[in-house]
Amino acid sequence: MTDTSARLSIGFSWIGHALMHIVSALFLTVVLALEREWKLPYDELIRLWTLGALMIGVGAPLAGWLGDRWSECRMMAVFFLLTGAGTIACGLTDGPEALLWALAVLGLGSSIYHPVGMAWMVKNATNRGKALGYQGIFGTIGIASAAVVAGGLTEWLGWRSAFLIPGAVCLGLGVVLALLIAMGKVEDRQGDVKPIPKASRGDVIRAFVVLSVTMVCAGLMFNAMQVVLPKLFEARLSDLLGGSTLGVGGVVTAVYLFAALPQLIGGHLADKYPLKRIYTLCLLVQVPMMAAVAVLADLPLVGAAALVVVASQVQIPAENLLLARYTPEKHRGLAYGAKFILSFGAGPLAVQLVALVYERTGEFVMLYITLSVLALVAFAAALLLPRDRDVPAKPAAAPMAAAE
């Protein structure tokens, strides 16, 4: 195992995080153009993403298990190739039914990233909080870029290009990674660069129960926010944006980019301060901010939405390190898979919740009140996490240079 392999592994993990969030969110902005072109209502079209969102959650445990048992780096190559193929298929569809199945393939490919890419990176990084912070920045950039990429390509080249071009990038990176693996430049690591202290059985069970609750709530909050934000901004910022798809995408991008640097700060904090404290405070902040989004409009709405996204992104490094702390290394891919079947498995429910609220009210006030209550439930559950214990890890017998 070489430093080059570790650094390439971390680099592909970071880039993969951005691309996963770009391609899995393209449809949420493209749907605004399909409303006009296919002359179908928003609530009917947005439901096409239900199966794809379900696949992101359902596929995660199997992907994590294959990463643990077979190969993390090879599973990442499969991620790029399958996700790229599904995204391109979306751009070639000619109706709702075909798009439904293409989005399902895209979702299945996307399901590979988090359980495999995250375990792959944690295994290769020395300063895990810092590395997770940078990984979070790439993910945030991906989430932010998705709306403006989809909106820009739709405005300039048509909605099909919004799928075809990002899909081609994914396929290309998959080919490059496969070649690097074949050449021996990227290899699977046996064991962590920096060992994690073993937790007691009681703390593992307690953390598992608590994190199951908080991650389901966080998954519903994240997915609902991501699904609804383009439509919410289109409705409540109409005087500022004039109905432009590119304008809507640009504001969504600005909101998520605003959270990029704070997430890196969250990674540094996770290396230095108690994880439980960081995690609970981030959940607490989201309670009043979700309630504010329910009733605000224009620039105050943008500010409140940005604060929700900042808090949700800063908590991610702490959450992922909590999961790593209470999971044996040999089962970490499966553990991250379980996390993302809970968080992304909430995606279909979030899609249906958004569609139902909009169908019945034509607005999203009740949606954000519900999300505020979920944030409060997650905060109360997080208070029950085991107390942070600072147990120094034993140094590895032959430590590598830090790979961050």
Side-chain angles (χ1 to χ4, degrees):
M1 188 71 194
T2 64
D3 287 352
T4 299
S5 177
R7 294 182 187 279
L8 284 171
S9 297
I10 292 171
F12 270 98
S13 178
W14 288 349
I15 294 169
H17 199 197
L19 278 172
M20 181 270 169
H21 282 294
I22 288 173
V23 299
S24 63
L26 292 171
F27 177 67
L28 307 180
T29 300
V30 172
V31 69
L32 304 179
L34 292 179
E35 278 187 272
R36 298 187 289 268
E37 183 162 330
W38 288 359
K39 295 180 172 55
L40 292 171
Y42 173 80
D43 56 279
E44 181 177 334
L45 284 169
I46 200 64
R47 285 189 172 102
L48 296 176
W49 177 232
T50 302
L51 182 57
L54 178 65
M55 295 307 296
I56 292 179
V58 170
L62 177 60
W65 183 83
L66 287 171
D68 288 336
R69 298 287 180 171
W70 177 44
S71 168
E72 289 169 337
C73 61
R74 288 172 177 79
M75 282 299 296
M76 282 298 293
V78 173
F79 153 72
F80 284 113
L81 295 171
L82 184 58
T83 304
T87 307
I88 289 172
C90 290
L92 299 176
T93 56
D94 56 4
E97 185 175 355
L99 182 56
L100 170 73
W101 293 109
L103 287 169
V105 175
L106 187 161
L108 180 62
S110 297
S111 75
I112 298 171
Y113 176 76
H114 283 94
V116 178
M118 195 163 293
W120 193 36
M121 194 212 65
V122 167
K123 188 177 287 186
N124 281 281
T126 300
N127 297 321
R128 293 189 183 92
K130 181 179 177 182
L132 283 166
Y134 278 110
Q135 184 192 42
I137 285 181
F138 276 85
T140 300
I141 289 171
I143 294 169
S145 300
V148 76
V149 166
L153 290 174
T154 298
E155 292 270 339
W156 298 325
L157 300 174
W159 69 267
R160 295 183 186 278
S161 69
F163 288 115
L164 295 174
I165 293 174
V169 173
C170 280
L171 276 178
L173 283 168
V175 171
V176 171
L177 179 55
L179 289 173
L180 288 170
I181 293 169
M183 295 165 58
K185 299 294 185 182
V186 175
E187 304 172 287
D188 286 307
R189 170 175 291 283
Q190 302 301 317
D192 293 341
V193 170
K194 182 180 179 182
I196 295 177
K198 186 177 179 180
S200 70
R201 180 178 177 82
D203 280 355
V204 168
I205 294 172
R206 184 174 169 183
F208 172 79
V209 173
V210 170
L211 289 173
S212 294
V213 174
T214 60
M215 290 188 299
V216 167
C217 292
L220 281 167
M221 286 153 40
F222 171 83
N223 282 283
M225 188 81 170
Q226 189 177 23
V227 167
V228 81
L229 214 52
K231 187 66 176 176
L232 182 70
F233 284 170
E234 183 189 53
R236 296 196 194 172
L237 302 178
S238 56
D239 292 341
L240 297 176
L241 302 178
S244 166
T245 304
L246 179 58
V248 170
V251 178
V252 173
T253 294
V255 166
Y256 280 103
L257 283 179
F258 184 69
L261 183 58
Q263 188 166 181
L264 179 59
I265 294 171
H268 282 285
L269 292 174
D271 277 332
K272 295 181 178 180
Y273 297 101
L275 299 176
K276 178 179 176 179
R277 185 183 305 168
I278 298 167
Y279 194 49
T280 52
L281 285 175
C282 288
L283 289 169
L284 179 61
V285 168
Q286 292 175 69
V287 177
M289 289 300 101
M290 285 289 193
V293 172
V295 297
L296 294 176
D298 297 325
L299 292 180
L301 168 65
V302 177
L307 288 175
V308 169
V309 174
V310 167
S312 68
Q313 297 301 299
V314 169
Q315 83 186 31
I316 291 175
E319 182 177 84
N320 289 327
L321 286 177
L322 281 167
L323 194 60
R325 173 179 293 178
Y326 296 112
T327 304
E329 181 272 325
K330 63 180 179 179
H331 298 307
R332 194 172 295 143
L334 183 60
Y336 281 123
K339 167 187 172 171
F340 288 102
I341 198 172
L342 292 174
S343 56
F344 285 119
L349 181 57
V351 172
Q352 293 297 321
L353 179 62
V354 169
L356 179 64
V357 170
Y358 188 77
E359 182 181 23
R360 295 194 174 185
T361 68
E363 244 292 355
F364 300 109
V365 174
M366 287 306 302
L367 174 71
Y368 276 96
I369 291 174
T370 302
L371 298 181
S372 180
V373 172
L374 285 172
L376 183 60
V377 170
F379 166 71
L383 292 174
L384 301 176
L385 281 167
R387 182 174 58 86
D388 285 276
R389 293 179 175 85
D390 299 320
V391 182
K394 295 180 181 180
M400 279 180 44
E404 296 167 355

